[in-house]
Amino acid sequence: MKKILFISIIGLFSCSKNTQTHPPVGGVLSKNDLDVSRQRMKNLNAQERYHIQEWINTQPVKFYPTQLNYWTNIQGFDQRQRRQDDTFISYSYDLYDFDQTKIYDQPIERRDARFGHFDELKAVEDALRFIHDGEEVTLLVPSALAYGTYGDEKKIDNDIPLIIKLKAL
C-alpha cells in the first residue's frame, strides 16, 4: 500500500511539473518585435499619406478622404447608404502606381460576387459597399489597404500604394 501511495504522489508531482514549450517553426514574435512592427507600419502609413496628399495637390481633380484611410474622387462617398451582406455585385478595376502607369493589361473583374463571401482588397471591398451600379470611382489607396507588406507576388512589390479605378458593372 505504501508503494502505491508513493508512486501516486510522484505521479502527481511529475504531472504538475512545468514543461518547456517550444515555439512553432519560424519562431514567435516577442512584444518588442510586435512594437517595432507596429511602429514601422505607423511610420509607413504616415509617409504614404503625406506623399498621396502631395500627389493630390498636383492634380486637377479633387480627392476626398474616407473613414477607412483611402481617398476617392467623389465627395461624401462613404456617407452613402451601405450595401448589405449577401447582396450581389459585379465589378471590375484597374490598378495603377502613382506614376499613373497601369500595372496589369487586363482589369480584375468579378461577376455576381456576394458581400460577406468574397475576399478582396480592403479598400475595394469597402468602396463597393458605397458605389452605385454603373458608377466609376477612383481610389487612392495606401499599401496597408492594398497588397501590404507582401505585394501580390507578381507585379506589385511590397509596401506600394495604388490608384484603383473601380467600376460597378
Side-chain angles (χ1 to χ4, degrees), residues 92-133:
S92 70
Y93 61 91
D94 287 302
L95 301 171
Y96 298 83
D97 62 20
F98 272 83
D99 292 329
Q100 297 187 14
T101 303
K102 193 172 183 179
I103 297 172
Y104 289 105
D105 294 332
Q106 297 298 316
I108 297 166
E109 187 173 307
R110 308 255 191 289
R111 296 279 178 182
D112 297 321
R114 190 167 61 160
F115 282 105
H117 300 277
F118 65 95
D119 188 27
E120 193 56 80
L121 298 175
K122 291 176 190 172
V124 170
E125 188 166 349
D126 186 70
L128 288 170
R129 295 278 185 175
F130 301 105
I131 198 168
H132 295 152
D133 291 339

Side-chain angles (χ1 to χ4, degrees), residues 9-155:
I9 291 173
I10 290 177
L12 284 173
F13 282 120
S14 67
C15 288
S16 66
K17 182 179 173 184
N18 288 336
T19 58
Q20 182 179 3
T21 57
H22 298 283
V25 175
V28 174
L29 293 176
S30 68
K31 182 180 179 336
N32 184 51
D33 291 337
L34 291 172
D35 290 341
V36 167
S37 178
R38 190 175 299 116
Q39 190 60 43
R40 177 192 174 280
M41 287 307 296
K42 194 174 184 181
N43 292 341
L44 179 63
N45 190 34
Q47 281 181 325
E48 288 179 359
R49 288 184 62 77
Y50 173 78
H51 289 299
I52 291 171
Q53 190 60 57
E54 289 294 308
W55 184 86
I56 289 170
N57 293 341
T58 66
Q59 300 305 304
V61 176
K62 287 192 142 220
F63 287 90
Y64 307 92
T66 65
Q67 294 176 1
L68 191 62
N69 194 27
Y70 64 89
W71 289 259
T72 180
N73 61 331
I74 299 173
Q75 188 172 15
F77 183 73
D78 62 345
Q79 303 304 312
R80 296 174 172 183
Q81 184 174 354
R82 282 178 61 91
R83 292 178 193 248
Q84 299 300 311
D85 278 349
D86 293 324
T87 58
F88 291 90
I89 188 165
S90 296
Y91 61 94
S92 70
Y93 61 91
D94 287 302
L95 301 171
Y96 298 83
D97 62 20
F98 272 83
D99 292 329
Q100 297 187 14
T101 303
K102 193 172 183 179
I103 297 172
Y104 289 105
D105 294 332
Q106 297 298 316
I108 297 166
E109 187 173 307
R110 308 255 191 289
R111 296 279 178 182
D112 297 321
R114 190 167 61 160
F115 282 105
H117 300 277
F118 65 95
D119 188 27
E120 193 56 80
L121 298 175
K122 291 176 190 172
V124 170
E125 188 166 349
D126 186 70
L128 288 170
R129 295 278 185 175
F130 301 105
I131 198 168
H132 295 152
D133 291 339
E135 185 175 37
E136 290 185 45
V137 63
T138 300
L139 312 174
L140 309 179
V141 182
S143 64
L145 297 175
Y147 289 97
T149 305
Y150 299 105
D152 73 347
E153 299 178 355
K154 295 174 190 161
K155 289 188 171 186

